[in-house]
Amino acid sequence: MEGLGMSAFGDFYRGRRVLVTGHTGFKGSWLTLWLSRLGAQITGISLPPVTVPSLFSLARIDTCCSNLFCDIRDAEALAECVRKVQPEIVFHLAAQPLVRASYRDPLGTLSSNVMGTAHLLEALRGLDYLRVAVMVTTDKVYRNNEWAYPYREDDALGGHDPYSASKAASEIVIGSYRDAFLRVQGVAIASARAGNVIGGGDWSEDRLIPDAVRAWQARSTLEIRRPQAIRPWQHVLEPLAGYLQLAERLWRQPELACAYNFGPHTHEAATVREVVELARAAYGQGEVRYGDGCDGSHEAGWLALETAKARITLGLMSHWPLAETVRRTMAWYRDQQEGCDPRVLCETEIAAYEEQV
């Protein structure tokens, strides 16, 4: 990210009370580890890890923070946890994050992603010590018209599938709480809409790289339903660096609180097939069977983000190109399978990112 080095953070996070919701998940684990390296006083609120294995467990993320296991759908329990933490900065990542799972359980998805977000925002009201909240949503919040240009922050929200609809609805809730309550309270609250993230340590279901790793480690064939679908792929550290920089800037310039897209350069958006072939080359083996795009529930065919706002306002831009992102991701899984410590692999990756930006 141009203009962003660790000097941009300096000692900003050192000693700050930071709350991370969803810290047991893939992105939450990486973020918690990075915040720990920056000296933050971290508390995580989340359900226990939902995958086996999980990065949270393998990388011993529980040693980086205080852990409070709580369901964000329980408003009273969540509010009690937040009062205990007394956070100065909040990163909200807790969610039901999967499109296909949202078709199986639409009400659970809406409950977690809409009401869970509302419960957190309500818990943040009246906290004198709170200064900044970064609410992480998704690139799928936009009404997808399958048009040939990237979505901007002021494009219409929408969602064909329950996951996308739930995240679009949460954006409306976030904006409402910002305008009605938190701005006058002196809290800068922004939403962060990130593109598809990949990186070592993700074992979620129905995600491209985890599915590929599972299949190829088992020497079975990877089944791809929609090889021509286009997405804005990026390494997990790219949006996390954006969240960290956004929170720091909001602390100093609360008037910047609004929605931001975080993603690669527009030309870096790529088809599923292109990513699979890069992954197979980096992994060194693997069989793939490509479908015709007709199987399964509806998913958007083309999706890219316009990131000029983050680039101009925050000085951010994508740093690792797609080929480098896939190479590093597959190397992480290969090294982990060969016995390397996942915590060390993550810390090494973060250090490499810090050195190159």
Side-chain angles (χ1 to χ4, degrees):
M1 293 190 177
E2 189 174 74
L4 171 59
M6 291 308 102
S7 59
F9 299 133
D11 288 331
F12 173 73
Y13 282 100
R14 188 166 303 280
R16 301 262 189 225
R17 296 188 306 278
V18 179
L19 169 62
V20 179
T21 73
H23 72 300
T24 62
F26 167 56
K27 287 174 72 176
S29 292
W30 276 95
L31 178 59
T32 302
L33 182 58
W34 202 346
L35 283 165
S36 178
R37 288 169 56 85
L38 294 172
Q41 182 181 325
I42 313 158
T43 300
I45 293 177
S46 182
L47 294 174
V50 297
T51 65
V52 178
S54 73
L55 182 61
F56 179 81
S57 298
L58 293 180
R60 306 179 299 284
I61 302 301
D62 62 328
T63 65
C64 301
C65 61
S66 298
N67 297 278
L68 296 174
F69 293 113
C70 173
D71 191 331
I72 61 173
R73 293 173 294 184
D74 185 334
E76 185 175 341
L78 178 61
E80 183 178 351
C81 288
V82 171
R83 286 193 295 269
K84 288 180 180 178
V85 177
Q86 299 188 355
E88 299 171 273
I89 299 171
V90 173
F91 294 98
H92 176 50
L93 285 78
Q96 193 297 99
L98 302 173
V99 171
R100 294 184 75 192
S102 77
Y103 280 103
R104 296 192 298 269
D105 184 14
L107 293 182
T109 300
L110 291 165
S111 179
S112 293
N113 296 355
V114 183
M115 291 310 300
T117 297
H119 292 160
L120 176 62
L121 291 167
E122 183 64 18
L124 299 181
R125 289 180 61 190
L127 300 186
D128 294 336
Y129 31 78
L130 180 67
R131 293 280 298 277
V132 172
V134 174
M135 314 292 285
V136 177
T137 62
T138 176
D139 56 354
K140 298 175 181 63
V141 297
Y142 297 106
R143 181 189 301 159
N144 195 299
N145 297 308
E146 302 286 353
W147 51 36
Y149 58 85
Y151 292 92
R152 301 163 299 180
E153 287 87 348
D154 57 357
D155 282 328
L157 301 176
H160 182 283
D161 59 87
Y163 169 73
S164 300
S166 73
K167 285 296 193 175
S170 75
E171 286 276 357
I172 296 172
V173 173
I174 292 164
S176 172
Y177 267 79
R178 177 173 54 236
D179 296 340
F181 306 115
L182 295 176
R183 181 180 286 126
V184 297
Q185 184 181 311
V187 176
I189 178 170
S191 60
R193 305 166 181 176
N196 286 40
V197 297
I198 60 177
D202 188 2
W203 281 281
S204 300
E205 63 171 342
D206 294 329
R207 282 188 180 157
L208 183 61
I209 295 299
D211 285 349
V213 170
R214 279 188 288 265
W216 296 341
Q217 286 182 349
R219 299 190 178 278
S220 59
T221 300
L222 173 64
E223 302 284 347
I224 299 296
R225 303 187 313 278
R226 291 181 171 84
Q228 298 309 312
I230 296 175
R231 296 290 185 270
W233 312 93
Q234 59 186 325
H235 193 278
V236 63
L237 293 180
E238 300 274 21
L240 295 187
Y243 305 162
L244 291 168
Q245 178 72 346
L246 175 59
E248 188 273 340
R249 287 292 298 277
L250 291 176
W251 185 282
R252 306 182 193 285
Q253 296 177 271
E255 68 274 11
L256 297 179
C258 54
Y260 291 89
N261 287 340
F262 294 97
H265 296 290
T266 302
H267 71 270
E268 285 279 313
T271 66
V272 169
R273 182 188 288 269
E274 289 172 313
V275 175
V276 169
E277 293 304 324
L278 285 171
R280 178 156 61 172
Y283 197 70
Q285 64 180 22
E287 296 298 322
V288 185
R289 181 180 297 111
Y290 292 108
D292 59 8
C294 296
D295 294 336
S297 304
H298 173 273
E299 294 184 41
W302 196 95
L303 179 59
L305 296 178
E306 173 56 69
T307 58
K309 185 176 180 179
R311 185 171 65 251
I312 295 169
T313 305
L314 304 175
L316 302 177
M317 62 187 299
S318 178
H319 178 70
W320 282 341
L322 179 61
E324 178 75 358
T325 291
V326 176
R327 183 193 68 77
R328 288 181 173 275
T329 298
M330 301 312 291
W332 193 103
Y333 284 107
R334 187 174 56 248
D335 291 344
Q336 185 268 333
Q337 185 182 23
E338 293 174 356
C340 294
D341 185 341
R343 172 74 164 264
V344 173
L345 291 175
C346 290
E347 291 180 333
T348 300
E349 199 84 321
I350 294 170
Y353 189 92
E354 292 174 346
E355 288 174 2
Q356 294 185 31
V357 298

